């Protein structure tokens, strides 16, 4: 049967790719993806055929991959992090419905986990993952999700915290969180996770309002129990109290 892998390649550095992801890319004849992500794996597989499209042309990209697979080639559609977390997995299933195609989802390491490991252990307790991009989700719905997550005292990982078009979204998000969380709540940010120039910073929620983030930054907001231990962001699970 025609084969299409949907692969999460992890945070970016080839050495951080899972063995299963690497095996899928080795098996594929064609690798499809957003140009920035394709450039991360191209040096490892220079002999492969590549299909790329620009940002905001996800449907076209997935259709190219599906057509190539249905045409008899083994194809790997890649996403950074995990393909099932803000990646191409859902869209592939939608567009491939009814096609003669075997789809295999290959998990990767999403930014909440890889970035959390850089900061320390910020997500040891219950947490929520929320994207601040309103390109596909209305800002009113994002606000409600932020409000509810803060009210429930979740740790929160914020994806897509800022861009040129929406430079104030992180500040607006922090103002919503501050309705329920202390200004001293421990927060962290990791830029370029797993790539050249990786950098982490710790700060309070009040300080986070004025932090300059970009699309390559993942932001972490602790819960009421999160604290800094030896320069690392740590959210206790409660094991010491058992």
């Amino acid at each position: 049967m025609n084969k299409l892998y949907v692969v999460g390649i992890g945070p970016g550095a080839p050495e951080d790719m899972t063995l299963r992801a690497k095996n899928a890319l080795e098996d594929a004849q064609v690798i499809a993806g957003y140009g920035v992500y394709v450039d991360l794996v191209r040096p490892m597989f220079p002999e492969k055929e590549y299909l790329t499209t620009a940002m905001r042309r996800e449907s076209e990209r997935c259709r190219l991959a599906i057509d190539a697979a249905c045409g008899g080639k083994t194809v790997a559609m890649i996403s950074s992090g995990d393909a099932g977390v803000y990646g191409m997995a859902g869209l592939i299933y939608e567009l491939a419905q009814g096609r003669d195609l075997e789809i295999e989802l290959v998990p990767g390491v999403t930014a909440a986990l890889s970035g959390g490991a850089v900061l320390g252990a910020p997500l040891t307790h219950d947490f929520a993952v929320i994207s601040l991009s309103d390109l596909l989700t209305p800002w009113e719905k994002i606000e409600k999700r932020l409000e509810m997550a803060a009210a429930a005292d979740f740790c929160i990982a914020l994806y897509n915290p800022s861009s040129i078009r929406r430079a104030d979204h992180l500040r607006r998000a922090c103002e919503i969180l501050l309705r329920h969380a202390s200004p001293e709540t421990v927060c962290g940010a990791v830029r370029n996770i797993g790539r050249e120039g990786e950098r982490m910073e710790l700060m309070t929620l009040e300080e986070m309002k004025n932090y300059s983030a970009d699309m390559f930054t993942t932001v972490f907001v602790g819960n009421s129990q999160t604290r800094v231990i030896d320069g690392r962001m740590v959210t206790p699970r409660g094991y010491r109290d058992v």
Side-chain angles (χ1 to χ4, degrees):
M1 179 178 285
N2 301 318
K3 185 65 175 281
L4 174 58
Y5 294 104
V6 186
V7 184
I9 62 170
E15 60 268 21
D16 290 332
M17 191 184 307
T18 68
L19 180 59
R20 185 175 166 189
K22 183 178 179 181
N23 289 341
L25 296 188
E26 287 177 344
D27 186 48
Q29 298 165 286
V30 179
I31 297 176
Y34 174 47
V36 172
Y37 306 146
V38 163
D39 288 343
L40 294 171
V41 302
R42 196 190 296 269
M44 296 178 65
F45 308 100
E47 76 287 357
K48 304 290 185 181
E49 178 184 346
Y50 287 91
L51 298 172
T52 64
T53 64
M55 185 70 74
R56 301 182 67 176
R57 292 173 63 185
E58 290 81 5
S59 291
E60 178 186 350
R61 189 185 316 151
C62 288
R63 287 192 176 96
L64 288 172
I66 291 166
D67 289 344
C70 289
K73 294 182 178 180
T74 300
V75 179
M77 164 60 74
I78 63 173
S79 298
S80 68
D82 180 89
V85 181
Y86 303 119
M88 294 295 101
L91 183 56
I92 285 287
Y93 280 114
E94 289 181 89
L95 296 177
Q97 188 173 6
R99 304 290 293 270
D100 181 24
L101 189 60
E102 178 189 354
I103 299 173
E104 181 178 334
L105 189 61
V106 180
V109 183
T110 188
L113 305 182
S114 54
V118 174
L119 286 170
L123 305 179
T124 309
H125 215 313
D126 300 333
F127 66 94
V129 176
I130 301 173
S131 171
L132 297 188
S133 172
D134 60 354
L135 183 63
L136 301 174
T137 304
W139 179 252
E140 293 74 20
K141 183 171 286 189
I142 295 171
E143 285 185 329
K144 185 174 182 180
R145 290 172 176 171
L146 290 165
E147 183 94 34
M148 296 299 101
D153 199 27
F154 278 104
C155 297
I156 306 172
L158 297 176
Y159 284 46
N160 307 314
S162 186
S163 69
I164 295 174
R165 185 181 63 84
R166 44 186 181 78
D168 65 337
H169 277 201
L170 180 57
R171 177 187 57 78
R172 293 168 66 186
C174 289
E175 289 172 350
I176 293 168
L177 299 177
L178 282 165
R179 297 172 191 169
H180 301 277
S182 165
E184 297 304 311
T185 299
V186 177
C187 296
V190 187
R191 182 178 270 115
N192 295 323
I193 300 169
R195 304 176 192 176
E196 184 178 356
E198 178 183 272
R199 188 177 76 214
M200 61 159 277
E201 296 180 65
L202 295 176
M203 65 202 79
T204 66
L205 181 54
E206 183 66 31
E207 291 169 336
M208 182 64 78
K209 281 199 308 183
N210 299 313
Y211 179 75
S212 180
D214 59 22
M215 288 292 287
F216 295 102
T217 304
T218 305
V219 169
F220 296 78
V221 180
N223 67 15
S224 59
Q225 304 302 309
T226 305
R227 58 183 186 266
V228 177
I229 300 177
D230 294 333
R232 298 293 174 176
M233 183 177 178
V234 179
T235 302
R237 176 79 168 95
Y239 295 117
R240 292 186 63 179
D241 300 328
V242 176

